[in-house]
């Protein structure tokens, strides 16, 4: 059993698909782009948004930065709460606390939004520390977020594990000397999680591993 568990947010603790895809569609409409099937936007869940606008819609860096600002017009007021906590997550976090394991949030989402989400769903009391990116774009890469969390909390890498649903979580953890646990119930494929120490299929299975 480790002393600290670093958690990704989107696709790991909560299912943000409706809010994120609605916000992406809102931003794309600003540029005259219509999307009929929201599931085609699921790859936006997890990675930095500017990277996704560039990769999936061919936006220049400048236009991608602008698109994120438009995205936030919708997300900050409405999309942020078009979200749901995965079944079993509150119970898992409570069990970690009860067993002396400290939960730390490590998300590429701007911290101002992540904290509001945790507070809205009454999850904030379970977290020892929350780390995220800045609205300016600083610390948006997952490795930078993980490294920042480790430094701020003075966490030795050998006493922690990273939990996430995307390859960015696994690669970010590896860059910081942490093992990773992949969760298959989120938005990443099992293929992209194959470098994780293990892959779990449910929150219940995750809890068992973290407390073993």
């Amino acid at each position: 059993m480790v002393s600290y568990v670093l958690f990704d947010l989107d696709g790991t603790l909560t299912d943000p698909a409706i809010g994120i895809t609605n916000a992406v569609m809102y931003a794309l409409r600003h540029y005259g782009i219509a999307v009929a099937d929201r599931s085609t936007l699921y790859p936006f869940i997890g990675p930095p948004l500017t990277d996704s606008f560039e990769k999936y819609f061919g936006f220049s860096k400048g236009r991608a930065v602008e698109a994120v600002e438009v995205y936030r017009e919708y997300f900050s007021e409405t999309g942020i709460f078009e979200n749901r906590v995965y079944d079993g997550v509150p119970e898992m976090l409570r069990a970690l606390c009860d067993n002396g394991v400290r939960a730390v949030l490590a998300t590429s989402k701007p911290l101002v939004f992540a904290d509001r989400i945790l507070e809205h769903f009454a999850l904030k009391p379970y977290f020892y520390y929350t780390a995220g990116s800045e609205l300016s774009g600083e610390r948006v890469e997952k490795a930078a977020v993980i490294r920042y969390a480790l430094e701020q909390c003075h966490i030795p890498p050998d006493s922690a594990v990273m939990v996430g649903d995307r390859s960015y979580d696994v690669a970010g953890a590896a860059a910081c000397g942490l093992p990773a646990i992949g969760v298959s119930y989120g938005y990443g494929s099992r293929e992209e999680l194959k470098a994780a120490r293990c892959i779990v299929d449910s929150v219940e299975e995750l809890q068992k591993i973290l407390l073993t």
Side-chain angles (χ1 to χ4, degrees), residues 85-145:
V85 178
Y86 285 119
D87 292 344
V89 163
E91 293 80 3
M92 173 188 66
L93 294 174
R94 188 180 306 118
L96 291 177
C97 289
D98 290 346
N99 283 274
V101 179
R102 289 174 166 172
V104 174
L105 190 72
T107 175
S108 291
K109 185 183 291 298
L111 184 59
V112 65
F113 295 149
D115 272 339
R116 285 176 64 194
I117 290 168
L118 293 182
E119 289 168 359
H120 178 76
F121 290 113
L123 299 179
K124 187 71 180 289
Y126 298 121
F127 283 86
Y128 174 72
Y129 190 79
T130 56
S133 64
E134 301 293 340
L135 289 172
S136 63
E138 180 184 356
R139 209 166 50 246
V140 71
E141 299 298 333
K142 185 50 71 81
V145 176

Side-chain angles (χ1 to χ4, degrees), residues 14-73:
T14 71
D15 183 350
I18 299 299
I20 288 179
T21 54
N22 278 348
V24 173
M25 288 189 284
Y26 175 89
L28 291 174
R29 283 197 297 271
H30 180 78
Y31 299 99
I33 302 171
V35 176
D37 181 359
R38 77 170 62 246
S39 68
T40 62
L41 301 177
Y42 286 170
F44 274 77
I45 302 172
L49 288 168
T50 51
D51 293 353
S52 294
F53 279 115
E54 291 179 55
K55 180 177 180 180
Y56 300 113
F57 290 93
F59 282 19
S60 66
K61 174 64 72 174
R63 175 164 283 195
V65 170
E66 180 185 73
V68 171
E69 293 302 314
V70 179
Y71 166 100
R72 287 175 180 163
E73 292 175 6

Side-chain angles (χ1 to χ4, degrees), residues 73-211:
E73 292 175 6
Y74 181 92
F75 187 81
S76 64
E77 298 298 327
T78 304
I80 189 171
F81 301 127
E82 292 176 323
N83 198 349
R84 73 173 185 87
V85 178
Y86 285 119
D87 292 344
V89 163
E91 293 80 3
M92 173 188 66
L93 294 174
R94 188 180 306 118
L96 291 177
C97 289
D98 290 346
N99 283 274
V101 179
R102 289 174 166 172
V104 174
L105 190 72
T107 175
S108 291
K109 185 183 291 298
L111 184 59
V112 65
F113 295 149
D115 272 339
R116 285 176 64 194
I117 290 168
L118 293 182
E119 289 168 359
H120 178 76
F121 290 113
L123 299 179
K124 187 71 180 289
Y126 298 121
F127 283 86
Y128 174 72
Y129 190 79
T130 56
S133 64
E134 301 293 340
L135 289 172
S136 63
E138 180 184 356
R139 209 166 50 246
V140 71
E141 299 298 333
K142 185 50 71 81
V145 176
I146 294 171
R147 189 171 296 110
Y148 178 78
L150 295 177
E151 291 171 352
Q152 293 300 305
C153 299
H154 306 288
I155 301 172
D158 61 0
S159 69
V161 65
M162 177 72 205
V163 178
D165 70 315
R166 301 299 308 272
S167 61
Y168 307 91
D169 302 306
V170 178
C176 296
L178 270 67
I181 296 174
V183 299
S184 67
Y185 57 77
Y187 287 88
S189 66
R190 295 186 75 89
E191 176 65 21
E192 71 178 89
L193 295 171
K194 64 183 181 182
R197 174 165 292 183
C198 65
I199 300 174
V200 299
D201 299 319
S202 68
V203 174
E204 291 74 19
E205 185 181 356
L206 175 61
Q207 178 177 326
K208 288 178 182 178
I209 287 177
L210 293 176
L211 292 177

